[in-house]
Amino acid sequence: MNRELLKFLVFSLLVLLAPLLFQGGYLMNVLVFVGINTMLAIALNLLLGYAGQISLGHAGFFGLGAYLSGILTATYGWNPWIAMPLAAVTVGLLAFLIGFPILKLKGHYLAMATLGLGIIIFIVFNETIELTGGPSGLSGIPNLSLGDFKFDSDIRNYYLVWSFTLGTVLLSLNLAASRVGRALRAVHDSEVAARVMGVNARLLKVQIFALSAVISALAGSLYAHTMTFLAPSSFGFNFSVELLTMVVIGGLGSIYGSFLGAALLTLLPEFLRAAHDYDIVIYGGLLMAMIMFMPGGLVRGIPDLLRRFAKRGRAGHA
Amino acid sequence: MQLDQLLQYVLSGLSTGAIYALIGIGFSIIYNATGIINFAQGEFVMLGGLLTLSCLNLLQLPPWAAVPCAVAAATVIGLLFERLAIRPLRKPTPISLVIITIGGSILIRGLAMLVWGKDTHSIPPFSGDEPIAVGGATILPQHLWILAITLVIVVINRFYFYHTISGKAMRACSYNRTAAGLVGIDVQRMVLFSFMISSAMGAIAGIIVAPLTMTAYDVGVMLGLKGFCAAIIGGMSSGLATVVGGLILGILESLGAGLISSGYKDAIAFIILLLILFIRPQGLFGKAESERV
């Protein structure tokens, strides 16, 4: 059997069985967030790890998806199953349009422009009080349901969110292995060389930006319907940085790395409840340490480290 | 629309604009010497205000001694930042530099939160808070301090970069690092200098604005970003263009807040930032540069 497929099946099996370990309980709820954050980290990684384009505004797309879904269902009484794809498509279109001017920028400038975009979106969430409820938030968002089956408990939400997450993983693995994935890596390494080889780098970057926004918006919708309450503070600059940290810690250009980063950064604060005020110190320190000592992220760094130890061990014996 | 009111907006816009200009010049000094946008620049602004607070309250220094003491402390932190975070990078790419300076900014902010807590603090104004009437509008003495200090700093900067050996060496680095190295300029030292100068300038900006706006561990983010906007409008020059950029930004923001909506005040800077980046990434006054591969 294909090795990649095997890996994916093992991963899916683990996801399927995980609730058996944490029968109910508070941790189940955290695992729902791990799923949502994994989707977001993968979305950002497609852009940053594969195409080499940074975004510090992804919390904005996440929030747009969440609020569109939330407003359509809570205020206007739409069916969530219609609101969700509509939100995703709308955010995707917006990203596509904005992608053309914004992705003309490179490096630091792109980082600043996406950051600005994210902050503008955040300010709009806060200020359009009649739509979003402003700083006090939007409540009364319905759970998703299939017929009479309502996704209203942690365990049900877990399977709901993770089916989307697994779908995202599968899609991204396929994308990375496809012609498009190779073109993306070419753009990452040298945009000029890629263009010479006939890759429409400009369009490709915008497309991946839009796809990344669609996945983020979808994650946002899922967040809205599992939480049933939204407040702007979840979608600020800090969350964009948190997403960036997940991607960098897990490993740029690695789908499973994104899961690892998302899981670590979502679970860590739960276990470090006592160190609550220290968490931003830890995030900052982690980000810097990873870039300095493990630029490949955990997925590449840990095997590297083990190999180095193994080598040293052998040299010691000789 | 009253003319007095308009004048009032312009006057207060000018003084916040001067702050943005100082922060913006800090950005462009590092950018020109190294090609790095230092996302932690705003954190030095925050440090300026809070360190002064500690010098005043904890060390019981008089204000004239507290300010240089705070600036010196911030400069040392800037030095450490360059030494411990920027220099050790083996293969710096734009993305790894963005990430490491963001990491640095979060770390500094987090440490500041641990040291000074989450409360907002105020610093007494330098010379009272009796408003001075200007035409139909009023201006606080602190506004005058801000404008005067900005002016002095810009003049010193100009002198340093054009009339001293190390300033000229730093300019040489900004034109061509390799060539500067070849003629015997210690490029690494210039990089270190650039971080020190810009953290000192950031700190000064933070100190002179703190009596007006209060200060807290998290004020650096917004101020840093606005400073960056000013630098972008000025085309990343470390001189007058950035000052003009900052003043334009300050006035537009103050007018926008007064005439449109104060809630969207912060959005105005970012809309201007995006427009400039899209239409004239070289800044309002810069010449277009052809893309090098």
Side-chain angles (χ1 to χ4, degrees):
Chain A
M1 189 156 46
N2 183 328
R3 230 178 121 197
E4 276 304 310
L5 190 63
L6 192 69
K7 254 204 250 175
F8 178 70
L9 288 177
V10 171
F11 183 66
S12 310
L13 199 68
L14 285 176
V15 167
L16 200 70
L17 297 179
L20 293 179
L21 284 175
F22 311 103
Q23 203 85 65
Y26 169 68
L27 205 58
M28 228 30 246
N29 178 271
V30 181
L31 290 182
V32 173
F33 287 110
V34 174
I36 290 174
N37 287 342
T38 302
M39 281 177 79
L40 289 165
I42 291 177
L44 183 60
N45 208 344
L46 285 177
L47 188 69
L48 179 61
Y50 287 91
Q53 309 298 311
I54 197 166
S55 164
L56 292 175
H58 258 54
F61 294 130
F62 176 53
L64 278 178
Y67 270 110
L68 278 173
S69 250
I71 292 166
L72 286 175
T73 52
T75 315
Y76 296 100
W78 285 35
N79 184 330
W81 292 112
I82 301 173
M84 268 175 65
L86 192 80
V89 170
T90 312
V91 174
L93 274 177
L94 182 81
F96 189 76
L97 290 178
I98 223 159
F100 280 100
I102 220 167
L103 288 162
K104 247 192 341 196
L105 304 166
K106 289 188 176 60
H108 305 106
Y109 288 100
L110 180 63
M112 275 294 184
T114 48
L115 200 171
L117 186 68
I119 292 185
I120 293 173
I121 297 175
F122 174 72
I123 293 173
V124 170
F125 290 155
N126 265 306
E127 295 300 319
T128 49
I129 295 169
E130 60 288 1
L131 270 178
T132 62
S136 47
L138 180 74
S139 54
I141 302 163
N143 286 116
L144 282 161
S145 54
L146 281 174
D148 286 338
F149 186 84
K150 215 165 171 214
F151 291 95
D152 54 0
S153 68
D154 284 338
I155 183 84
R156 290 176 180 185
N157 278 327
Y158 173 86
Y159 283 110
L160 170 77
V161 165
W162 273 97
S163 54
F164 278 91
T165 310
L166 287 177
T168 308
V169 172
L170 198 60
L171 173 88
S172 315
L173 286 173
N174 274 318
L175 189 80
S178 72
R179 230 181 115 244
V180 178
R182 289 196 296 277
L184 279 175
R185 279 191 289 273
V187 169
H188 187 170
D189 291 337
S190 165
E191 198 175 321
V192 178
R195 264 195 250 152
V196 172
M197 298 307 288
V199 176
N200 186 344
R202 182 104 190 272
L203 185 64
L204 191 69
K205 285 196 291 186
V206 175
Q207 282 168 333
I208 205 76
F209 186 66
L211 176 69
S212 175
V214 166
I215 297 174
S216 306
L218 207 57
S221 293
L222 287 168
Y223 179 82
H225 293 299
T226 50
M227 288 281 290
T228 68
F229 173 79
L230 298 175
S233 55
S234 324
F235 310 107
F237 172 55
N238 286 340
F239 190 60
S240 287
V241 173
E242 211 175 301
L243 289 177
L244 179 76
T245 317
M246 289 175 195
V247 173
V248 171
I249 286 182
L252 290 168
S254 160
I255 302 296
Y256 294 110
S258 290
F259 159 71
L260 206 61
L264 200 70
L265 246 64
T266 318
L267 293 171
L268 203 64
E270 301 300 327
F271 291 121
L272 294 177
R273 274 275 171 238
H276 192 61
D277 277 351
Y278 295 85
D279 57 357
I280 75 169
V281 181
I282 294 170
Y283 282 172
L286 268 180
L287 256 185
M288 295 174 78
M290 289 305 290
I291 288 291
M292 287 202 271
F293 305 115
M294 225 183 250
L298 288 178
V299 278
R300 285 194 256 320
I302 290 177
D304 260 9
L305 220 58
L306 291 178
R307 231 169 287 146
R308 220 178 301 161
F309 273 121
K311 211 182 271 171
R312 195 173 297 165
R314 243 174 302 161
H317 284 299
Chain B
M1 175 82 251
Q2 299 276 309
L3 210 62
D4 296 353
Q5 220 175 337
L6 202 65
L7 182 68
Q8 185 68 63
Y9 292 143
V10 171
L11 282 179
S12 56
L14 276 177
S15 76
T16 39
I19 299 291
Y20 299 158
L22 278 187
I23 305 168
I25 293 175
F27 269 108
S28 51
I29 287 175
I30 292 183
Y31 181 78
N32 285 328
T34 63
I36 298 172
I37 301 285
N38 180 16
F39 279 78
Q41 185 67 24
E43 264 36 74
F44 290 98
V45 181
M46 171 272 288
L47 282 175
L50 288 175
L51 284 168
T52 308
L53 184 84
S54 291
C55 287
L56 286 171
N57 295 350
L58 214 64
L59 305 179
Q60 295 289 338
L61 291 176
W64 57 264
V67 171
C69 178
V71 174
T75 310
V76 171
I77 296 173
L79 180 147
L80 289 176
F81 183 58
E82 198 275 342
R83 270 298 167 89
L84 300 178
I86 307 293
R87 196 175 291 189
L89 269 191
R90 266 161 295 170
K91 280 181 287 177
T93 62
I95 286 183
S96 68
L97 287 167
V98 167
I99 295 170
I100 206 139
T101 55
I102 286 182
S105 105
I106 301 174
L107 189 66
I108 296 174
R109 199 182 321 144
L111 293 173
M113 187 183 78
L114 295 180
V115 174
W116 286 285
K118 288 182 175 174
D119 303 329
T120 47
H121 305 275
S122 63
I123 292 178
F126 295 178
S127 51
D129 43 12
E130 199 67 39
I132 303 161
V134 180
T138 57
I139 191 167
L140 291 171
Q142 192 64 29
H143 285 125
L144 295 177
W145 275 108
I146 290 175
L147 291 172
I149 290 175
T150 304
L151 188 73
V152 170
I153 299 271
V154 170
V155 170
I156 292 176
N157 242 319
R158 172 83 193 180
F159 179 81
Y160 172 72
F161 280 110
Y162 285 85
H163 300 282
T164 67
I165 290 288
S166 85
K168 286 177 183 169
M170 203 173 303
R171 265 171 58 225
C173 286
S174 84
Y175 290 122
N176 188 330
R177 289 180 74 170
T178 324
L182 283 175
V183 297
I185 292 169
D186 187 342
V187 176
Q188 276 207 324
R189 177 182 291 181
M190 291 302 134
V191 169
L192 187 66
F193 274 2
S194 74
F195 271 85
M196 290 168 67
I197 296 174
S198 75
S199 42
M201 288 185 64
I204 293 174
I207 294 169
I208 57 182
V209 77
L212 280 182
T213 59
M214 314 271 275
T215 184
Y217 79 101
D218 59 353
V219 296
V221 183
M222 266 300 163
L223 283 170
L225 294 171
K226 304 262 178 75
F228 178 78
C229 291
I232 284 288
I233 298 174
M236 280 298 177
S237 95
S238 53
L240 220 54
T242 301
V243 176
V244 176
L247 296 181
I248 292 177
L249 185 64
I251 293 172
L252 284 179
E253 207 181 79
S254 153
L255 285 176
L259 304 179
I260 303 169
S261 138
S262 58
Y264 287 102
K265 181 180 136 245
D266 290 332
I268 292 168
F270 293 105
I271 291 169
I272 297 171
L273 171 73
L274 285 180
L275 285 179
I276 297 270
L277 283 175
F278 291 167
I279 301 164
R280 276 188 77 85
Q282 71 274 26
L284 282 186
F285 314 105
K287 279 196 233 67
E289 209 176 309
S290 60
E291 188 184 337
R292 272 171 296 186
V293 177

